[in-house]
């Protein structure tokens, strides 16, 4: 029905039914996605985020980008399992299929861009598809649908974070999408959303891309937007909360089930029970931190314990020390230094 209503006011209503609204509350919490998005935008807009900007030249294009990403993925998947290829038919820089990743033939990529694609598109989106296909019975776990989008995108952003592949500008773009959707849901048109981000200091190129994502299928004059991009922030926070809860409840062994296929968080306990019965196969392609859960347990155990700390009071305590510091570039080791 959403596709039938593209370009019409009801497009937004069906999109909200499938992907949610910026006014929705997070699972098990009183905060709305809009409130969380605004807070994240503030954090990733702080001067400190700009201090960390490091030049990553976009030196890979065409077949060079394909070869570089193919080499990265070959160490995670069996040789030949996943193919990287060029495409003229995609709007975004890259897109994942069942056993392939397409790169836009007109795009240029940095080393960091390809690292993000490796873990986000490769490890998560392609990996969960292949894990679903290899199920002895539940091969439907390879098929995506709107119900699993938040978990898939949130897990992909989490893996970016755990592998230190993400960077402040990317995190801000993901947070900005929540604010753009909120504006569009409240009636803003394409130009108003675009100009809002330009006034916030976003480049016209990036402001256009954010706005374009929100209005695809909707009405550029206002009245209908596409809310799918809420999935990144919603999915990230809810997946982190799920992992923390599994640690605190003493059942971290269920966490690899996040990669068993295209799932949503409510599926995990049921799928784990069927795994114990032998009906569900363990995921073959699994990121290293989910293969050996000890480090993940400690990471999220500390994170849960530190939630008791009043960060506002702590920040106030250190503020006087920080205020004495001159503004300077961060200490960053040269790229060509190798550390054994």
């Amino acid at each position: 029905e959403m596709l039938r209503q593209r370009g019409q006011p009801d497009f937004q209503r069906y999109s909200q039914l499938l992907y949610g609204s910026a006014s929705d509350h997070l699972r098990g919490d009183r905060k709305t996605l809009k409130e969380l998005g605004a807070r994240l935008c503030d954090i990733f807009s702080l001067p400190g985020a700009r201090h960390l900007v490091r030049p990553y030249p976009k030196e890979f294009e065409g077949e060079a980008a394909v070869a570089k990403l193919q080499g990265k993925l070959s160490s995670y998947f069996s040789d030949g399992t996943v193919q990287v290829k060029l495409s003229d038919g995609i709007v975004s820089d890259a897109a994942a299929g069942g056993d392939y990743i397409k790169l836009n033939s007109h795009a240029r990529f940095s080393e960091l861009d390809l690292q993000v694609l490796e873990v986000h598109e490769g490890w998560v989106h392609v990996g969960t598809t292949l894990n679903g296909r290899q199920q002895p019975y539940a091969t439907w776990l390879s098929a995506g649908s709107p119900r699993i989008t938040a978990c898939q995108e949130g897990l992909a952003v989490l893996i970016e974070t755990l592998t230190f592949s993400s960077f402040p500008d990317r995190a801000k773009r993901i947070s900005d999408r929540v604010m753009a959707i909120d504006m569009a849901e409240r009636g803003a048109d394409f130009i108003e959303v675009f100009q809002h981000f330009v006034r916030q200091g976003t480049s016209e190129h990036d402001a256009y891309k954010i706005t374009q994502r929100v209005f695809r299928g909707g009405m550029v004059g206002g009245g209908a937007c596409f809310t799918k991009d809420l999935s990144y922030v919603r999915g990230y926070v809810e997946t982190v909360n799920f992992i923390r809860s599994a640690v605190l409840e003493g059942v971290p062994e269920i966490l690899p089930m996040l990669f068993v296929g295209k799932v949503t968080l409510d599926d995990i306990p049921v799928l784990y029970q069927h795994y114990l019965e032998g009906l569900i196969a363990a995921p073959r392609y699994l990121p290293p931190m989910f293969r050996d859960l000890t480090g993940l347990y400690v990471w999220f155990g500390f994170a849960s314990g530190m939630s008791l700390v009043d960060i506002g009071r702590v920040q106030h305590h250190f503020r006087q020390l920080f205020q004495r510091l001159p503004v300077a570039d961060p200490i960053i080791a040269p790229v060509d230094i190798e550390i054994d």
Side-chain angles (χ1 to χ4, degrees):
E1 289 302 320
M2 183 186 74
L3 293 174
R4 287 194 182 100
Q5 297 298 322
R6 62 192 183 277
Q8 303 296 323
D10 275 351
F11 178 85
Q12 178 169 301
R13 180 166 68 89
Y14 287 113
S15 178
Q16 289 169 333
L17 289 172
L18 290 170
Y19 299 106
S21 165
S23 61
D24 287 348
H25 291 266
L26 291 162
R27 188 189 307 237
D29 195 83
R30 296 181 180 179
K31 292 285 190 301
T32 64
L33 282 167
K34 176 188 175 182
E35 290 175 300
L36 179 62
R39 175 59 176 152
L40 292 173
C41 284
D42 288 343
I43 291 172
F44 295 121
S45 299
L46 291 171
R50 291 193 295 274
H51 294 169
L52 295 175
V53 173
R54 179 176 178 174
Y56 282 94
K58 293 185 178 292
E59 56 186 327
F60 300 99
E61 62 179 327
E63 294 298 338
V66 168
K68 185 72 173 180
L69 183 56
Q70 187 73 68
K72 289 175 175 289
L73 292 173
S74 294
S75 63
Y76 185 80
F77 299 99
S78 303
D79 285 342
T81 302
V82 177
Q83 296 294 315
V84 183
K85 51 190 177 182
L86 291 175
S87 173
D88 291 324
I90 57 175
V91 177
S92 58
D93 288 344
D99 54 8
Y100 63 84
I101 295 176
K102 291 181 179 179
L103 299 184
N104 191 319
S105 58
H106 304 292
R108 297 179 67 92
F109 302 89
S110 68
E111 178 75 36
L112 192 56
D113 292 332
L114 295 176
Q115 185 174 326
V116 169
L117 291 175
E118 175 193 5
V119 300
H120 185 116
E121 306 291 350
W123 292 14
V124 177
H125 293 331
V126 175
T128 52
T129 298
L130 295 179
N131 286 337
R133 287 181 181 178
Q134 293 174 359
Q135 289 297 318
Y137 308 109
T139 53
W140 45 266
L141 283 172
S142 65
S145 67
R147 71 184 292 272
I148 60 89
T149 301
C151 186
Q152 273 283 296
E153 300 298 356
L155 190 60
V157 175
L158 174 61
I159 293 299
E160 289 181 36
T161 306
L162 292 175
T163 57
F164 298 101
S165 302
S166 195
F167 47 95
D169 279 352
R170 175 168 173 77
K172 185 178 183 300
R173 286 200 300 271
I174 290 172
S175 307
D176 282 342
R177 294 171 187 173
V178 177
M179 308 314 296
I181 289 170
D182 177 64
M183 290 181 65
E185 284 183 314
R186 290 186 287 111
D189 64 21
F190 191 105
I191 298 298
E192 289 171 325
V193 174
F194 169 77
Q195 290 178 340
H196 166 79
F197 288 107
V198 172
R199 287 194 299 270
Q200 296 293 317
T202 305
S203 70
E204 289 190 353
H205 176 269
D206 288 345
Y208 184 88
K209 291 186 72 172
I210 293 169
T211 309
Q212 181 189 45
R213 292 179 67 95
V214 171
F215 282 93
R216 51 188 166 162
M219 300 168 64
V220 294
C225 69
F226 189 36
T227 62
K228 175 180 176 289
D229 277 352
L230 296 170
S231 303
Y232 294 84
V233 169
R234 179 203 291 273
Y236 176 83
V237 173
E238 292 184 346
T239 300
V240 167
N241 287 340
F242 178 85
I243 294 173
R244 289 174 59 184
S245 297
V247 168
L248 294 175
E249 291 295 320
V251 288
E253 59 273 15
I254 72 172
L255 296 179
M257 291 290 110
L258 286 165
F259 292 87
V260 76
K262 305 297 187 184
V263 300
T264 190
L265 297 176
D266 292 341
D267 299 338
I268 303 300
V270 178
L271 291 172
Y272 184 68
Q273 290 177 359
H274 290 309
Y275 160 73
L276 295 177
E277 295 166 358
L279 298 175
I280 297 290
R284 175 180 176 183
Y285 300 112
L286 200 58
M289 69 287 294
F290 282 86
R291 191 173 297 278
D292 181 352
L293 293 170
T294 53
L296 203 68
Y297 187 96
V298 172
W299 181 299
F300 286 98
F302 270 123
S304 299
M306 290 176 64
S307 64
L308 299 175
V309 176
D310 185 340
I311 187 59
R313 292 178 64 88
V314 173
Q315 185 178 350
H316 178 75
H317 172 79
F318 286 109
R319 183 171 293 139
Q320 290 183 340
L321 291 176
F322 296 153
Q323 286 176 341
R324 302 172 190 169
L325 294 174
V327 176
D329 292 332
I331 301 172
I332 299 177
V335 176
D336 57 354
I337 286 182
E338 294 184 2
I339 301 174
D340 292 332

